[in-house]
Amino acid sequence: MVKLRLKRCGRKQRAVYRIVAIDVRSRREGRDLRKVGFYDPIQNQTYLNVTAILYFLEKGAQPTETVYDILKRAEVFKELRFNQTKFN
């Protein structure tokens, strides 16, 4: 099973996170399938590759709670619903 999860980067006391698609059995710092975004909680910046995120969500990937909140703030789920109704 694939999850959309945060992967810690940066230095001590200055964490930034990559949003990655990763196998559920992998460690937090393990090998990811694809990098799909970036999140900086200190400056509150996000960069999301929405097409890649939608691809993994349509294939059944489950976001973690924190990633779900980030995607919800960026209104990615509205695009997911739009794409589903467009093709059905």
Side-chain angles (χ1 to χ4, degrees), residues 21-81:
I22 194 167
D23 186 29
V24 77
R25 295 168 289 186
S26 297
R27 304 173 309 166
R28 179 186 73 180
E29 306 303 324
R31 186 165 174 239
D32 49 63
L33 300 173
R34 185 163 178 193
K35 297 174 184 85
V36 294
F38 173 83
Y39 174 60
D40 185 353
I42 295 171
Q43 296 181 359
N44 201 19
Q45 293 179 337
T46 56
Y47 164 77
L48 300 172
N49 184 348
V50 178
T51 56
I53 291 170
L54 291 175
Y55 170 78
F56 281 108
L57 288 174
E58 288 171 355
K59 296 293 181 186
Q62 297 294 315
T64 59
E65 290 180 28
T66 309
V67 173
Y68 179 83
D69 292 339
I70 293 168
L71 297 178
K72 190 174 178 184
R73 256 188 279 139
E75 299 180 349
V76 172
F77 295 110
K78 288 183 181 178
E79 288 190 41
L80 181 66
R81 286 191 201 107

